[in-house]
Amino acid sequence: MVRIKDIAKLANVSPSTVSNVIHKRKEKVSPEIYNRVEKILEEEQYVTHMGARMLSAKGSRLVALILAYKRIEKESIVEDPFVSSVIGAVQLALQEKGYFLLLYSNPDMEDCVKISREWNVDGIILLGAKREGYYKMKNSLSVPVVSIDTPFSATDAEYTNIGLEDFEAAKEMTRYLFSMGHRKIAFFSLTEGGELLEKHYIDSERYRGFKEAMEEEGLVAEGWHNLSFVEEIRKKQYFSFYEENFFHATALFFTADIMALEMMRFCMDRGISIPEKLSVVGFDGIKAGRCMHPMLTTMEQDSAEKGRKAVKELLFLLEEGKGDYKNIRLPVHLFIGETVARI
Amino acid sequence: MVRIKDIAKLANVSPSTVSNVIHKRKEKVSPEIYNRVEKILEEEQYVTHMGARMLSAKGSRLVALILAYKRIEKESIVEDPFVSSVIGAVQLALQEKGYFLLLYSNPDMEDCVKISREWNVDGIILLGAKREGYYKMKNSLSVPVVSIDTPFSATDAEYTNIGLEDFEAAKEMTRYLFSMGHRKIAFFSLTEGGELLEKHYIDSERYRGFKEAMEEEGLVAEGWHNLSFVEEIRKKQYFSFYEENFFHATALFFTADIMALEMMRFCMDRGISIPEKLSVVGFDGIKAGRCMHPMLTTMEQDSAEKGRKAVKELLFLLEEGKGDYKNIRLPVHLFIGETVARI
DNA sequence: TTGTAGGCGTTATCAT
DNA sequence: ATGATAACGCCTACAA
């Protein structure tokens, strides 16, 4: 492996001169030597040893992307296109700026703090963490932390989060259902065995929006039905909903497309035609929803943009605006498919 | 930040003793001191500085997962559940063994070699690389390289790859279509603008299997239809196939579920009922296929298992069997859905 | 403009 | 059993 010392010898200069060339400090090296060294660097395929750089300089140019979701099943709902596209976008955006991505998955923030310290990361992006988890990270480390989809409360401060207008979006969707004549709407989201999952909290916002819209219309939100993360159990739940005639609802509001699709399949298997007998709406805008027949009506979000924004804000905190935190909410868009009937 | 030196001072021992405790070398430290140091380590929340470790010791405990797919669109077909679940599985498997994941995405193997050197990675997992790319990596670096879904030829040697029985699987699928009475079958896969994508090569294997099965049945494989990676263009292609009456085929064989789903939607929009008028089969076994109505008949693969196997083989090469390369092919499973009619 | 020297944190070797 | 020391590669301040 070629090191700075070796290059220095080959070029008949000192290591610091080589270092200056590496860092493109043209003002500190004569043009002649600069070019000579640069050429040798190229020829010898010199690459910096990041360990050594971490040791001597401040930054590691490493950013940790932490997936804080709890893993219920191996093929859990979180291993979905959403997470995939966030990861992809984060990776690409970091790479463009010369940063590297350390991917780590653990809901235990203690462990995450440890890893971040070990690797001297320059910053952290948290995906699917709880509010408490965010502060735990932020307060245990001296580097900026940006979260995606972490629900904060109105009194929280000093955080940067990339989220959606969940409350407004759910309200808009509910109003759309009203506009199509629906008055009895059942609301479904995900949870697991009594203990609330991180994602659940976002769903609380959506439920609040749904509820408020209902109340504004003089209706009663009949409650919130929790679906299991485990497919087997979910299937049973669908069956019990079916037996209860879907609580006499004319429309079902799901907080994730993938569940809406499952339910559609379940209904069609039982001769309940959608949307004629039952309307269904989802949330996310996944590709498969567009392939369904009928096409799923859903609240679309741009998950890759969430990743890009997270990187942008992290680098902003890192390189410029120390402590200038932001609560960012990306827009959503109501995609009107074919799963809602006018009644 | 607490360092070994600090711990040493607190415990009134030398840094080397602390280091020995950190590495659990009980035989080199007296039990009394061992416990004392261990306690202080815990109290002070000491964490290793990985940069320093990289510098002094050999290993970095870092494994690079390199996504070598070319990016055509931001939301390319490769940003699909398959990649997501491989990443998830690799990450988890590495974590369990005490390794860290550096995620990098770049089809240029020169760049990948550079990054791997910079970070002194202990090993590399390549996803979606070409045969040439694999050897480029392997020969440029002194660490083990394991690939997933890279197509090698029979004469290749010294590689570890995790793939499927693509040839056999396509044959099996084709034979299944025969068993349902189909004789005219059209084959569709992905490519882009003349230049072959990595994934394409796997599709060559599948096409070979399809072709051989056809020939064994005394039929002619009518050719191989390439779909664009760009959704817009694909839509146009579907339309032209439609105008050509799908080449008079009674069944369409897609090498990826997601395309099969798109085509199903396209057909249903035009009153071509599936499977009554046209049968469709896919490959992968994605979740949405199960939600479709009718349910997609497909060749299921276990993508997470690919990731786990890759890690297992990498660690094997790393820790034990230097140079003991393997060509691993995971089984697939024909899932019979509802998209193939008996004719 | 170029070179020298010390330090970053850890580990392995060697001496006590 | 424990400690001292050198080495890993890079960076920067300071000296020449």
Side-chain angles (χ1 to χ4, degrees), chain A residues 13-14 16-17 28 30 33 55:
Chain A
V13 295
S14 76
S16 38
T17 302
K28 309 203 106 195
S30 69
I33 291 190
L55 200 53

Side-chain angles (χ1 to χ4, degrees), chain B residues 213-245:
Chain B
M214 290 292 274
E215 285 165 359
E216 282 175 9
E217 193 75 4
L219 301 170
V220 179
E222 299 259 343
W224 174 352
H225 308 287
N226 285 316
L227 297 169
S228 168
F229 262 74
V230 182
E231 188 165 354
E232 306 282 300
I233 300 178
R234 226 155 49 226
K235 288 275 153 72
K236 283 181 194 155
Q237 293 180 305
Y238 294 146
F239 200 74
S240 76
F241 299 150
Y242 169 64
E243 287 187 321
E244 293 193 54
N245 199 23

Side-chain angles (χ1 to χ4, degrees), chain B residues 10 28 45 56 60 66 70 75-76 81 87 153 160 178 181 200 208 217 231 236 238 261 294 310 322 335 341 343:
Chain B
L10 287 168
K28 308 203 104 192
Q45 299 198 60
S56 66
S60 59
I66 296 178
K70 287 183 192 160
E75 318 257 349
S76 132
I87 295 176
S153 70
T160 289
F178 294 154
H200 185 64
R208 280 208 312 117
E217 193 75 4
E231 188 165 354
K236 283 181 194 155
Y238 294 146
L261 297 188
K322 270 279 174 203
F335 173 78
I343 61 171

Side-chain angles (χ1 to χ4, degrees), chain B residues 202-218:
Chain B
I202 287 185
D203 288 355
S204 327
E205 283 298 292
R206 294 183 189 167
Y207 182 71
R208 280 208 312 117
F210 163 71
K211 189 154 174 270
E212 187 163 304
M214 290 292 274
E215 285 165 359
E216 282 175 9
E217 193 75 4

